[in-house]
Amino acid sequence: MNTKFLSDKSLKEIIRNFTPNWFTLNMGTGIAFLTLHNINANIFDAQLLLGKSLWLIDIFFFVLFFTLLLARMFLYPETIMLMFKHPVQSMFLGAVPMALVPILEGFAIFGPSLFGNNSLNIALYLWWIDAFLAVCVGWLLPYLMFSIQKNHKLENMTAVWLLPIVASEVTASAGGMLAPYFANPIAEAILMVSYILWAFSVPLAFSVLVILFLRLVTHKLPDKAMAVTSWLTLGPLGTGALGLLLLGHAAEKVLIGTDLENIATFLSNFGLIAGLLLWGYGLWWYVMAWIITLKFFKDGLPFNMGWWGFTFPVGVFTAATLQLWQATGYDIFKYFSIVLSIQLAIFWILVFTKTLKGMWSGYLFHAPCLSPETGLPKPEEECKKFSKKNK
């Protein structure tokens, strides 16, 4: 076991090895406090306080990670191209806009009681920024996969491919939550853009799921270090269902009195039916993820930041289940959402604890794209090329 403490690790070394997969901590923590809020049971007085506390903790880590990422870009710009070229590490750039979504939703949910009504404007500004980042990532990463990235073979493919694609639909679901807080024309603009973002993401995610199924059939299960990626399949399906449900509900409020008022009921009904279908598709992958995980548990799963895949996908699937319960009144969704919430809580506590230990020891600060064992050009060679170009 690595006994070297973070205090003994150079700050420059931490910055140079900082990777965007740290933002998955924000995704997991964010969906944890949103789920705590969404159960809306008010069972105990500390529920609201705990939700706010987790939100503030999430903001702290997001600011810290974003600062470290910017520091790496400015202090070690030669390593950024290495990250872009890495076939796995680059995918986690999609985690950046997804990590921001729970934070901006927190400004709408918890912000008014702490910062006043200006918190809603902050949430709105952050949403537009997030939409821009999600679209950029959704275009940039596939292009890099098409052009400069190597080692993309069917046998190497995992559900990590979904990360840059799913970011836009996560932003779309946030738009469905946020739109009713505002008056028109702002609310209508959020609603329309959110539907576009949903379409920007979900159909492409379906394509990746089809390829993933083919890869699993032809090349069997991935290495145990990538076993947790099986849970990522819940991301586009859970978020896709959640997005349509929230947008349909928002449409009934936002489109009243507009030229599109006559389709408000249709969008609500469509959100329910399509959301239910996507949820059913997600249920298949949920059971399969459990089967795959239990198989690998026998062999032992090495801890890495990929373990945060246990949290966010389950969280959005839980949120979609809660929305289906509210829309249908069927108790089966209520009871299943409770089971999912308990699972999410257990996973979050386990992964958060292990992450803090790994952060303190320093061993989690390791950038695979800077390792000579990646199969990519050696980092020192790339750095020399960068230096020559910028002399």
Side-chain angles (χ1 to χ4, degrees):
M1 179 180 291
N2 189 340
T3 58
K4 187 178 182 181
F5 289 103
L6 184 58
S7 57
D8 298 325
K9 202 174 185 72
S10 166
L11 177 60
K12 289 185 177 181
E13 189 178 356
I14 292 174
I15 293 173
R16 187 171 184 270
N17 284 275
F18 181 80
T19 54
N21 60 359
W22 281 93
F23 288 93
T24 57
L25 181 152
N26 296 108
M27 294 169 60
T29 303
I31 201 62
F33 71 70
L34 288 176
T35 301
L36 186 65
H37 170 76
N38 288 336
I39 58 176
N40 198 26
N42 294 321
I43 298 174
F44 49 93
D45 294 337
Q47 181 180 353
L48 181 60
L49 178 60
L50 179 59
K52 288 182 178 179
S53 300
L54 289 176
W55 174 56
L56 294 174
I57 290 172
D58 202 32
I59 293 175
F60 166 77
F61 277 114
F62 185 87
V63 172
L64 173 63
F65 296 157
F66 199 75
T67 301
L68 290 173
L69 183 60
L70 289 177
R72 179 181 174 182
M73 292 175 62
F74 287 109
L75 296 178
Y76 304 100
E78 70 279 4
T79 68
I80 301 303
M81 183 54 67
L82 289 171
M83 180 174 65
F84 284 154
K85 288 183 177 181
H86 196 277
V88 176
Q89 198 59 226
S90 60
M91 299 296 110
F92 285 93
L93 286 170
V96 179
M98 287 192 283
L100 184 57
V101 164
I103 292 175
L104 69 88
E105 290 186 353
F107 272 102
I109 297 169
F110 305 120
S113 62
L114 295 175
F115 308 113
N117 291 330
N118 283 333
S119 62
L120 290 176
N121 292 326
I122 295 175
L124 179 61
Y125 297 144
L126 290 177
W127 185 84
W128 285 111
I129 293 172
D130 193 80
F132 174 77
L133 292 175
V135 168
C136 289
V137 169
W139 264 320
L140 175 63
L141 267 298
Y143 175 74
L144 294 178
M145 295 171 72
F146 301 160
S147 57
I148 67 173
Q149 290 183 357
K150 300 178 181 180
N151 295 339
H152 279 304
K153 300 178 182 179
L154 186 60
E155 59 266 31
N156 297 332
M157 185 262 188
T158 67
V160 170
W161 281 16
L162 292 165
L163 288 174
I165 296 171
V166 174
S168 291
E169 64 180 277
V170 173
T171 308
S173 67
M177 188 281 291
L178 206 60
Y181 282 94
F182 297 91
N184 285 324
I186 295 176
E188 188 176 358
I190 294 174
L191 189 69
M192 295 299 106
V193 171
S194 294
Y195 272 111
I196 295 173
L197 290 171
W198 189 95
F200 190 88
S201 174
V202 176
L204 193 57
F206 278 1
S207 302
V208 174
L209 290 175
V210 171
I211 299 171
L212 178 63
F213 188 92
L214 175 64
R215 178 254 178 270
L216 291 172
V217 171
T218 56
H219 298 284
K220 309 312 173 188
L221 297 176
D223 182 81
K224 62 181 181 180
M226 300 295 288
V228 180
T229 60
S230 59
W231 290 92
L232 298 181
T233 56
L234 284 176
L237 301 173
T239 311
L242 177 64
L244 288 179
L245 288 162
L246 290 174
L247 290 171
H249 180 69
E252 290 188 307
K253 298 179 179 180
V254 171
L255 297 182
I256 300 301
T258 70
D259 294 337
L260 298 175
E261 182 176 0
N262 59 325
I263 67 169
T265 301
F266 165 77
L267 291 176
S268 178
N269 293 334
F270 174 76
L272 174 59
I273 298 301
L276 187 60
L277 293 174
L278 287 174
W279 184 90
Y281 188 10
L283 183 62
W284 188 92
W285 280 107
Y286 172 79
V287 175
M288 186 57 63
W290 263 121
I291 295 172
I292 293 173
T293 302
L294 291 175
K295 178 188 182 304
F296 278 107
F297 261 134
K298 297 178 182 179
D299 302 326
L301 282 176
F303 178 74
N304 53 51
M305 290 300 291
W307 275 43
W308 282 100
F310 282 129
T311 57
F312 190 80
V314 173
V316 293
F317 193 63
T318 304
T321 307
L322 283 166
Q323 285 295 318
L324 285 172
W325 170 49
Q326 294 177 9
T328 64
Y330 294 162
D331 286 340
I332 183 65
F333 292 119
K334 174 184 178 181
Y335 298 135
F336 190 41
S337 65
I338 293 174
V339 172
L340 291 171
S341 299
I342 294 173
Q343 176 185 337
L344 174 61
I346 294 173
F347 280 177
W348 181 84
I349 293 172
L350 173 66
V351 180
F352 189 77
T353 302
K354 285 182 172 293
T355 301
L356 289 182
K357 291 181 179 179
M359 186 184 298
W360 177 251
S361 66
Y363 82 89
L364 285 178
F365 289 102
H366 169 69
C369 61
L370 302 183
S371 172
E373 289 82 26
T374 59
L376 298 171
K378 291 184 178 181
E380 56 269 21
E381 295 177 359
E382 289 291 323
C383 293
K384 289 179 181 177
K385 291 180 182 179
F386 182 87
S387 298
K388 289 180 180 179
K389 289 181 180 179
N390 290 274
K391 279 185 178 179

